[in-house]
Amino acid sequence: MLLLAALLIILLGAELFTNALEHLGERMGISEGVTGSVFAAVGTALPETMVPIVAILAGAASGNAALGADVGVGAILGAPLMLSTLALFLMAMFAAGRRGWKGTLQPEKSGLRRDSSWFLLCFGLAVGALFLPGQWGLARVAVAIVLVLCYFLYVLQTMRASAALVADGHDTEAGAPLYLRRLGLGERFASIILQLALGLVAIVLGAELFVRGVEHLSHWLGISALVLSMLIVPLATELPEKINSILWIRRGKDTLAFGNITGAMVFQGSLLPALGIALTDWRPSGPVLVTATVTLLAALYLAWLIRSGRALRSGQFLVFGLLYAAFVALTL
């Protein structure tokens, strides 16, 4: 019941947040690529982001730092894994429902290449940091700083590409009215910011409840908090929000659908590993290595699909589903 209550609070907060982000993107006159890869990706990644932050800090404050670190590292590595495998597979599966498995997917390619390249760079650095000795404190801090800088460089590059994409007709349009409009507050800039703040508060409260639920569930099932976090936290906190990508792909908005996933991959593959490197042991245990390996394989396959020059087809994304199934089997 605690996990379900936390999930409902998180989803409510994320829904408020992403709805406000769409209106912010429309008001700013930026492209679908920026809204999908930056605004929507960050908004839908916030639940997954808050869980490891709350877990690590709460664990340290309560004197149970090891458990907090396990939940945190599991959530940090589980998110890129889920996004690069299961989320892409489900999006393609729902696209195939209307277009067939041989139907083409037509996202804006330059943004997709940019997201893929930055994710491989950032996540590759994060995986390499797993093998740095614990006493190399300065080197670990340096890697964490580089990952943060990489994400901000990625955002800067994405924003710079926005003007040309808007000129080509890839501008953002909000899919639904601002929720606070129903309370008579209109769709003013102040209303958008207020809804963003309300969404963030709900996400933080839900994340704290979710961490408590995972702790008790791991004891009850006899499964380590690390493994449980890798399997459950991304599915519960982030996958429901990727329904946005399913809705967008079914409406023919392929750029927003892909950007919502690949942009979140860059966010989750850079800023969150930086947090894990700085605040936890960040060591290469068995489950950690399995997760990192499957994620890198999926990312390399996606990069090959993008750069092959051939049309993207739904059937090609069956591989991502198989990779996720292999991860679950190996982990359990």
Side-chain angles (χ1 to χ4, degrees):
M1 289 178 67
L2 188 64
L3 284 171
L4 288 174
L7 179 58
L8 288 174
I9 295 171
I10 286 171
L11 292 181
L12 173 63
E15 182 65 28
L16 289 171
F17 199 91
T18 51
N19 172 257
L21 282 177
E22 282 190 7
H23 282 271
L24 185 62
E26 184 177 60
R27 180 175 287 266
M28 294 176 65
I30 56 179
S31 70
E32 284 186 333
V34 173
T35 303
S37 294
V38 179
F39 285 4
V42 171
T44 55
L46 273 177
E48 183 70 11
T49 303
M50 295 311 302
V51 168
I53 291 174
V54 172
I56 293 170
L57 296 181
S62 65
N64 201 350
L67 176 64
D70 279 347
V71 174
V73 171
I76 288 169
L77 291 175
L81 179 279
M82 189 275 295
L83 289 167
S84 62
T85 55
L86 185 60
L88 287 171
F89 165 71
L90 289 176
M91 182 189 66
M93 183 179 72
F94 278 90
R98 291 196 173 183
R99 311 179 198 182
W101 286 108
K102 294 184 178 180
T104 58
L105 307 173
Q106 298 177 325
E108 193 276 311
K109 285 289 188 70
S110 66
L112 197 55
R113 283 193 295 270
R114 180 175 58 249
D115 290 358
S116 172
S117 298
W118 278 106
F119 175 75
L120 280 170
L121 172 63
C122 294
F123 195 74
L125 285 173
V127 172
L130 288 168
F131 301 95
L132 289 176
Q135 61 268 28
W136 289 21
L138 288 177
R140 292 164 66 89
V141 170
V143 173
I145 292 173
V146 168
L147 288 173
V148 173
L149 289 175
C150 280
Y151 184 73
F152 284 105
L153 288 173
Y154 157 76
V155 171
L156 181 62
Q157 188 180 30
T158 304
M159 296 294 288
R160 283 181 174 175
S162 177
L165 292 174
V166 169
D168 289 338
H170 292 284
D171 52 320
T172 301
E173 294 182 2
L178 190 73
Y179 292 135
L180 288 186
R181 180 182 177 183
R182 300 172 185 176
L183 301 179
L185 297 179
E187 294 188 2
R188 296 171 295 178
F189 186 75
S191 301
I192 295 172
I193 298 302
L194 175 60
Q195 186 170 309
L196 286 172
L198 290 173
L200 182 59
V201 169
I203 288 168
V204 172
L205 292 175
E208 185 174 0
L209 287 176
F210 198 91
V211 170
R212 295 180 188 177
V214 168
E215 177 183 354
H216 292 295
L217 190 62
S218 67
H219 290 309
W220 185 66
L221 293 175
I223 299 175
S224 75
L226 174 65
V227 171
L228 194 64
S229 296
M230 287 178 176
L231 291 171
I232 290 182
V233 174
L235 287 173
T237 60
E238 188 149 14
L239 188 60
E241 277 306 302
K242 293 313 163 196
I243 292 172
N244 290 334
S245 289
I246 292 171
L247 295 175
W248 277 326
I249 204 80
R250 289 178 65 84
R251 294 170 185 164
K253 295 185 176 183
D254 293 11
T255 298
L256 281 171
F258 272 89
N260 189 33
I261 294 175
T262 58
M265 284 169 58
V266 181
F267 181 87
Q268 302 284 22
S270 57
L271 295 186
L272 285 192
L275 179 73
I277 293 167
L279 299 181
T280 71
D281 291 341
W282 200 251
R283 58 187 184 274
S285 64
V288 166
L289 290 177
V290 169
T291 305
T293 300
V294 174
T295 303
L296 285 174
L297 287 174
L300 288 169
Y301 177 65
L302 178 63
W304 176 77
L305 286 178
I306 297 167
R307 289 161 177 76
S308 65
R310 295 179 293 179
L312 295 176
R313 301 187 183 279
S314 300
Q316 297 167 333
F317 286 66
L318 289 170
V319 174
F320 296 115
L322 294 174
L323 284 171
Y324 185 77
F327 157 74
V328 172
L330 288 170
T331 304
L332 293 179

